[in-house]
Amino acid sequence: MTQRWRDWLDQAEHDLEHAAASKCDGRHAWACFASHQAAEKAVKALHVAGGKRLTGNVITRLLTELPETPPEDLVDRGRVLDNYYIPTRSPRSHADGAAYEHYGALQSEQGLRFAGDILKYVRQALAVEVDCN
């Protein structure tokens, strides 16, 4: 049987690389969105590894629904990243201006760091889970 969790984790890693490249190109809104996607897919890898069904895009909820709830500071990082899911792409999310105008280097750096923290947590959790199987 295919270990689909590995596909989710590989995609998360790829999305994090995309986020870093977007930050370097000055495309900060895309870097923020890709950071969200990397973290979301990483947490979904944990769910799939545990045999759970995938639902939703809210990192905070995905984290808190894990069998073992992660540290609160990691959940808080998920809360920040959740704010990068729709507002980074939709002008309706802001009072004025295009969505991308509301994101800069500070936000993209934070998004990359927080997504990296979540991926690190997931990698460690999967290493334990995979070693036990």
Side-chain angles (χ1 to χ4, degrees):
M1 180 185 287
T2 305
Q3 299 271 343
R4 293 305 310 248
W5 65 264
R6 201 174 296 274
D7 295 337
W8 283 94
L9 186 60
D10 287 348
Q11 188 64 48
E13 300 281 0
H14 181 78
D15 289 354
L16 192 60
E17 291 171 9
H18 174 73
S22 293
K23 179 186 178 295
C24 288
D25 288 344
R27 298 178 185 277
H28 300 293
W30 275 113
C32 291
F33 175 66
S35 294
H36 172 277
Q37 292 294 284
E40 175 191 333
K41 291 168 187 166
V43 179
K44 284 183 174 181
L46 267 181
H47 281 276
V48 170
K52 302 281 179 157
R53 184 183 165 137
L54 299 175
T55 58
N57 306 97
V58 180
I59 298 165
T60 306
R61 188 172 58 78
L62 290 166
L63 285 168
T64 57
E65 289 180 352
L66 288 168
E68 186 174 319
T69 304
E72 188 60 33
D73 63 327
L74 200 69
V75 175
D76 284 341
R77 287 173 174 83
R79 284 186 182 96
V80 171
L81 291 168
D82 283 334
N83 287 298
Y84 296 155
Y85 181 58
I86 293 174
T88 53
R89 300 172 291 139
S90 176
R92 288 180 160 187
S93 297
H94 305 279
D96 189 30
Y100 77 88
E101 296 173 332
H102 297 270
Y103 300 89
L106 179 69
Q107 290 83 11
S108 61
E109 179 61 38
Q110 183 181 54
L112 279 163
R113 188 172 65 251
F114 289 179
D117 293 342
I118 290 173
L119 264 75
K120 180 179 177 183
Y121 175 84
V122 167
R123 282 187 219 106
Q124 290 171 344
L126 284 170
V128 170
E129 194 163 317
V130 170
D131 288 344
C132 294
N133 290 335

